[in-house]
Amino acid sequence: MNADYVFEQLRDYGLEVERLDFKADGETTYGDMVMPLAWDCEDGSLELIEPESKVLSQWSDTPNLVGMWSPGTPPEGLEGDLVILGTGDLERMDVEGKFVYTPGTLSGDPAGGV
């Protein structure tokens, strides 16, 4: 859904609306907020290397596995420790500096994400 569609729908409902366009460049400000730097994720995966090689999540299958404002990665990827998070585990786990994988969501979606 794009901004033009939402704008027209609000006007059709009889609301007085104004559309403002801002650059998502990490420098432009509106009020007291800096517009965050935007980027489009084009591909990605989370792969387990040890003890066996296994793809846990693939962006092409589950585009929402990449969280908003996630940093990009170098072309060769990143390696690090993985913590598999179950329901209610966060308070008991040391996740600092690690990849956190949720094999499902609170809504019961088995796709999971990072």
Side-chain angles (χ1 to χ4, degrees):
M1 184 177 308
N2 67 36
D4 293 326
Y5 173 80
V6 173
F7 180 83
E8 292 302 324
Q9 289 294 303
L10 292 171
R11 271 197 3 202
D12 289 348
Y13 290 131
L15 298 171
E16 186 177 322
V17 294
E18 177 183 2
R19 179 177 170 162
L20 302 172
D21 294 315
F22 300 101
K23 292 180 182 178
D25 58 8
E27 297 176 9
T28 300
T29 60
Y30 179 71
D32 63 350
M33 181 176 174
V34 174
M35 300 296 105
L37 183 63
W39 60 276
D40 293 323
C41 180
E42 298 174 3
D43 193 19
S45 63
L46 176 65
E47 301 174 27
L48 185 64
I49 297 173
E50 294 178 11
E52 63 181 273
S53 180
K54 179 180 178 181
V55 175
L56 297 176
S57 292
Q58 181 70 39
W59 181 85
S60 59
D61 297 330
T62 313
N64 64 342
L65 76 87
V66 178
M68 182 181 272
W69 297 309
S70 294
T73 57
E76 67 275 8
L78 296 172
E79 290 187 21
D81 292 332
L82 177 69
V83 174
I84 298 176
L85 184 66
T87 304
D89 286 343
L90 189 58
E91 291 181 25
R92 297 185 298 256
M93 301 181 99
D94 176 17
V95 298
E96 186 175 346
K98 300 176 184 174
F99 293 98
V100 177
Y101 177 69
T102 58
T105 64
L106 295 177
S107 65
D109 177 4
V114 179

